Amino acid sequence: QVQLVESGGGLVQPGGSLRLTCAASDLTFRHYVMTWYRQAPGKERELVASIYNAGGEANYADSVKGRFTISTDKAKKAVYLQMNSLKLEDTAIYYCNARHSAWSEFDYWGQGTQVTVSS
């Protein structure tokens, strides 16, 4: 059974940094597009960053370009989101998603991890 488990969220001051981790199990990692989404209170879920495990450039939301970096460790089947220069508006629940590159019905979500940016 495929599982995605996020960790690394927490409370941080504006300007600070956090690194989120998403550990995947029971999937052929290289066939998947890995994406971080976030959902703030009262707002729709939005794409933050994505990367194709078989190669290719990462994609970022305009609001996080230059501050966030998505990366993967294929050996560990993990995807990371390094978040620097955090802003109040980055406060949200962050979710990890894995979607098969050829068969989109193979689509999995983690349980989410809370990131709170507050002074």
Side-chain angles (χ1 to χ4, degrees), residues 102-119:
W103 295 291
S104 59
E105 61 267 31
F106 295 106
D107 186 76
Y108 306 99
W109 292 87
Q111 81 288 351
T113 186
Q114 176 71 49
V115 171
T116 303
V117 184
S118 175
S119 56

Side-chain angles (χ1 to χ4, degrees), residues 64-115:
V64 307
K65 281 180 181 177
R67 300 188 297 122
F68 290 10
T69 303
I70 188 171
S71 61
T72 62
D73 184 329
K74 295 177 179 60
K76 295 182 178 179
K77 293 188 178 182
V79 59
Y80 307 100
L81 186 68
Q82 178 66 44
M83 306 186 294
N84 299 328
S85 303
L86 283 161
K87 303 176 180 180
L88 297 176
E89 53 264 39
D90 293 319
T91 295
I93 299 174
Y94 284 70
Y95 297 91
C96 177
N97 172 264
R99 179 176 52 83
H100 197 282
S101 59
W103 295 291
S104 59
E105 61 267 31
F106 295 106
D107 186 76
Y108 306 99
W109 292 87
Q111 81 288 351
T113 186
Q114 176 71 49
V115 171

